[in-house]
Amino acid sequence: MACRIEGKKQALVASELGLSVKTVEVYVARALQQVRQHMKKAGLLVLTILFNAF
């Protein structure tokens, strides 16, 4: 996630880690997918709590 957090280019991250750019792209995409899934679950939890409170 250095690409997103530190603003590094994927090519630079790939070079630093000894990976191909495509591998970095895949890992970033998977990580973002995981973040989205967790955010959706957290959002649903908040909505459930709010609706159950009333």
Side-chain angles (χ1 to χ4, degrees):
M1 294 302 293
C3 299
R4 300 291 177 148
I5 296 170
E6 298 175 17
K8 292 184 178 181
K9 300 284 184 190
Q10 291 178 347
L12 177 60
V13 173
S15 173
E16 289 175 350
L17 298 175
L19 303 170
S20 72
V21 175
K22 185 66 178 175
T23 299
V24 173
E25 291 172 357
V26 170
Y27 279 121
V28 169
R30 287 179 184 170
L32 290 173
Q33 184 178 24
Q34 290 288 323
V35 169
R36 284 188 203 104
Q37 287 176 353
H38 289 290
M39 289 177 68
K40 284 180 184 179
K41 288 179 184 178
L44 290 175
L45 178 62
V46 169
L47 289 176
T48 302
I49 291 170
L50 287 174
F51 284 120
N52 287 334
F54 296 103

